[in-house]
Amino acid sequence: MVSDIYCMGRCEMGINIKALVGGGMVFLLSIICLAAAPSADLQLVEAVKNGDKAAVRSLLEQHVDVNATQADGATAVMWAAYQDDLEMAE
């Protein structure tokens, strides 16, 4: 009964369950590491969030990614809109 569930490490189709689970874990850990890595592009989001117009201008002149998102999906334009700051949003 229990051996039917675990397939003794292999299923009827010859799939190695341990290798499949191990590969899945490596994939998930890679995704987590990439998501947790800080992005230099978030400097623009932070500058807009803090209302630092000089920093925003400087970063835009450096052609930073204006579509960079925080972990929650917020962008620089979203923060400008939230703060009702039309100048920064443009």
Side-chain angles (χ1 to χ4, degrees):
M1 311 278 158
V2 174
S3 63
D4 291 339
I5 295 171
Y6 292 106
C7 304
M8 303 284 255
R10 293 189 181 273
C11 287
E12 291 175 13
M13 293 188 292
I15 299 172
N16 186 332
I17 300 296
K18 291 178 184 178
L20 186 63
V21 171
M25 293 299 290
V26 169
F27 176 74
L28 287 175
L29 288 173
S30 299
I31 296 296
I32 290 169
C33 289
L34 287 174
S39 171
D41 294 336
L42 291 181
Q43 292 175 352
L44 180 62
V45 175
E46 290 299 316
V48 171
K49 191 161 78 167
N50 295 328
D52 189 347
K53 293 182 182 189
V56 169
R57 282 188 197 97
S58 174
L59 290 165
L60 290 174
E61 288 172 1
Q62 297 172 36
H63 303 287
V64 297
D65 183 10
V66 296
N67 296 315
T69 59
Q70 292 179 308
D72 64 357
T75 64
V77 172
M78 289 178 176
W79 274 105
Y82 176 76
Q83 295 173 346
D84 202 24
D85 192 333
L86 181 60
E87 181 183 354
M88 275 212 231
E90 291 177 337

